[in-house]
Amino acid sequence: MDLKVTTLAGKDAGKLSLSDEIFGLDPRDDILARVVRWQLAARQQGTHQAKGRADIARTGAKMYKQKGTGRARHHSARAPQFRGGGKAHGPVVRSHAHDLPKKVRALGLKHALSAKAKSESLIVIDDLVLGEAKTKALIENFAALGLTNALMIGGSELDQNFQRAAANIPNIDVLPIQGINVYDIMRRGTLVLSKAAVQALEERFK
């Protein structure tokens, strides 16, 4: 498939042929959902911790004698049924991460790229480079391109001026090609790729 290439100023910069094996697939929601769930699970800190009965600083002596009181048989006041007692089956520190096959991860990225191409939410820019780190100038460029909510993917090394100028713009994310991922692609309305990013993606999936 052929896609028009523009400059950052919104001018025509020719056309670029995109691989149908990467950008021309029929997107599958189930694969995208699996990859996003895998990403978000790995991000969870898992530092939640409730005190069990063994963690409560309270005497372990029997509360009252076993027989003759007419009451229920209890032992420690650290038991979960008492106020101030330990939590039964509470959360513990753990990792929420789970495995996902590499082939599914790669396929998920292809389907995310294809979903943006199919919905006409994919823009290719010749180069993400600015002469000066001026946020105001970059906002004007984005307005000319119609970008209000976008993920921008550059080459292996990002232009420092562009990165700094885009840092203060809300709903705009800038990542090098190494950081491209399904979750960030899907959470933003438009995907903007540089020509270097497209080339790197096609080399990656050869």
Side-chain angles (χ1 to χ4, degrees), residues 1 19 21 25 30 39-40 56 63 88 95 121 135 141 150 156:
M1 60 182 293
S19 172
E21 295 181 0
L25 301 177
D30 60 325
Q39 279 189 245
L40 295 182
I56 299 298
M63 298 177 67
S95 170
S121 301
T135 300
N141 289 336
S156 57

Side-chain angles (χ1 to χ4, degrees), residues 115-131:
K116 290 300 181 185
K118 188 174 182 180
S119 64
E120 298 182 351
S121 301
L122 175 64
I123 297 176
V124 178
I125 291 181
D126 60 345
D127 207 359
L128 301 178
V129 175
L130 280 181

